[in-house]
C-alpha cells in the first residue's frame, strides 16, 4: 500500500494529477497508512505542501466544504501561511472570506458580502485555480479523511480536481468506510465508480486482518500466551 502511494506521488511530482481513495472498515489502518506515507513523503521531498482536512459526523445542516476549509485554515495558520495568503486572496476570494481571521479593516466596502453571495459553482473554480497555483510552486498533497461523512459540495470537489485537464503536481488522498457510505447512501460511492471507469482514480482497499495478522498483533500487544485466541477472534 505504501509503495502504491509513493508511486502515485512520483507521478504527481511529474505533473500528472492523482487521486487515491483508501477504503476499509473502521480501525483497519487508513489513517495510520496515510500518516506513514505523509511522513516519508515529507522526507523524500521537503518542499511538499500538505493540506489535511477531517470530515466529522454531523446531524444538522452540513457546512459546504467544511473539511477543505479546515485544511486551508490549518495551512494558512502555519509558518507557510504568510507567503500563501496573498495568493489565496487573489485566486480564491470566495474562500478567503470564509476564514474570518484573514479579513482586515482595509478590505474594499462590500467585498465580503459580494464574495459570500457568489454562486456555489464559483467556489469549485476558485479551489481548482488556487491549488493549481500552489502546485506550480511545489508539489501539493491534499488529504480528506472520513469522506463517508462529507458534505456533498466536498464530494463534488473530488472529480472536479481529479479531472481537470491542466497538468498539476497534485496528489489527492481520500479515506472512507464503504459500509458507512452504503448505509447512508452517500454519493462518494458514485464518484468513486465514475472516476475509476474513466481511469482518474486509484482504489486502495485495505482488507480484513487474517488469523496470522491477528496472531502477530496479539503477540506484540499481550505476549505469546494469547496467540491461540487468534482463530477464535
Amino acid at each position: 500500500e505504501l509503495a502504491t502511494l509513493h508511486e502515485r506521488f512520483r507521478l504527481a511530482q511529474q505533473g500528472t494529477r492523482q487521486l487515491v481513495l483508501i477504503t476499509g472498515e473502521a480501525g483497519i489502518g487508513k489513517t495510520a497508512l496515510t500518516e506513514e506515507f505523509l511522513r516519508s513523503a515529507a522526507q523524500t521531498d521537503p518542499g511538499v505542501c500538505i493540506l489535511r482536512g477531517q470530515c466529522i459526523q454531523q446531524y444538522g445542516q452540513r457546512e459546504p466544504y467544511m473539511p477543505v476549509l479546515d485544511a486551508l485554515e490549518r495551512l494558512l495558520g502555519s509558518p507557510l501561511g504568510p507567503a500563501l495568503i496573498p495568493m489565496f486572496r487573489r485566486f480564491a476570494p470566495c474562500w478567503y472570506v470564509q476564514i474570518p481571521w484573514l479579513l482586515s479593516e482595509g478590505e474594499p466596502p462590500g467585498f465580503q458580502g459580494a464574495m459570500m453571495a457568489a454562486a456555489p459553482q464559483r467556489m469549485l473554480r476558485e479551489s481548482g485555480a488556487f491549488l493549481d497555483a500552489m502546485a506550480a510552486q511545489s508539489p501539493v498533497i491534499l488529504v480528506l479523511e472520513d469522506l463517508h461523512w462529507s458534505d456533498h459540495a466536498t464530494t463534488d470537489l473530488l472529480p472536479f480536481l481529479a479531472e481537470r485537464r491542466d497538468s498539476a503536481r497534485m496528489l489527492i488522498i481520500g479515506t472512507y468506510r464503504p459500509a458507512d457510505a452504503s448505509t447512508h447512501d452517500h454519493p462518494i460511492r458514485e464518484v468513486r465508480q465514475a472516476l475509476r471507469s474513466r481511469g482518474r482514480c486509484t482504489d486502495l482497499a485495505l482488507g480484513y486482518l487474517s488469523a496470522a495478522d491477528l496472531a502477530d498483533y496479539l503477540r506484540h500487544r499481550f505476549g505469546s500466551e494469547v496467540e491461540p485466541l487468534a482463530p477464535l477472534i
Side-chain angles (χ1 to χ4, degrees):
E1 290 85 358
L2 273 175
T4 298
L5 286 172
H6 278 291
E7 172 61 16
R8 296 299 131 185
F9 184 45
R10 185 186 66 80
L11 293 172
Q13 288 173 304
Q14 296 175 353
T16 305
R17 61 180 73 228
Q18 300 290 314
L19 170 64
V20 179
L21 291 177
I22 304 174
T23 60
E25 64 173 323
I28 199 63
K30 300 182 294 296
T31 298
L33 172 62
T34 302
E35 288 178 347
E36 176 60 21
F37 165 70
L38 293 177
R39 184 193 64 78
S40 54
Q43 290 180 341
T44 303
D45 187 345
V48 65
C49 185
I50 298 173
L51 298 88
R52 191 167 184 178
Q54 174 76 49
C55 304
I56 60 172
Q57 189 171 16
Q58 301 178 72
Y59 299 96
Q61 186 174 0
R62 297 179 179 181
E63 179 185 15
Y65 303 110
M66 190 190 76
V68 186
L69 285 165
D70 176 39
L72 288 168
E73 193 162 6
R74 291 169 187 264
L75 175 68
L76 297 173
S78 74
L80 297 175
L84 292 173
I85 288 173
M87 182 193 300
F88 185 55
R89 189 187 187 284
R90 177 186 173 194
F91 284 97
C94 289
W95 291 80
Y96 179 83
V97 299
Q98 303 286 331
I99 303 177
W101 59 265
L102 291 177
L103 298 173
S104 66
E105 295 180 359
E107 303 293 351
F111 170 72
Q112 183 175 6
M115 294 301 102
M116 294 288 283
Q121 294 82 355
R122 180 170 173 176
M123 296 281 284
L124 275 176
R125 289 189 290 105
E126 289 186 2
S127 66
F130 175 63
L131 291 172
D132 282 3
M134 284 182 56
Q137 295 185 352
S138 62
V140 171
I141 300 177
L142 170 62
V143 179
L144 299 174
E145 296 192 77
D146 291 330
L147 286 168
H148 52 275
W149 287 328
S150 71
D151 58 275
H152 290 189
T154 297
T155 309
D156 289 340
L157 182 63
L158 294 175
F160 178 78
L161 293 177
E163 297 195 283
R164 286 169 67 87
R165 298 200 177 272
D166 300 328
S167 63
R169 294 183 295 168
M170 186 185 310
L171 169 61
I172 306 161
I173 299 174
T175 73
Y176 74 93
R177 307 174 198 164
D180 287 81
S182 297
T183 300
H184 299 96
D185 197 23
H186 196 282
I188 187 62
R189 299 178 304 155
E190 286 73 28
V191 167
R192 169 177 165 265
Q193 183 175 352
L195 290 174
R196 284 186 62 192
S197 68
R198 295 194 284 270
R200 307 299 293 182
C201 169
T202 298
D203 229 358
L204 200 54
L206 305 186
Y208 291 96
L209 294 177
S210 67
D213 293 330
L214 189 56
D216 286 342
Y217 174 78
L218 291 173
R219 184 175 66 255
H220 283 92
R221 181 72 183 271
F222 301 109
S224 58
E225 297 83 359
V226 297
E227 270 190 75
L229 289 176
L232 176 62
I233 294 175

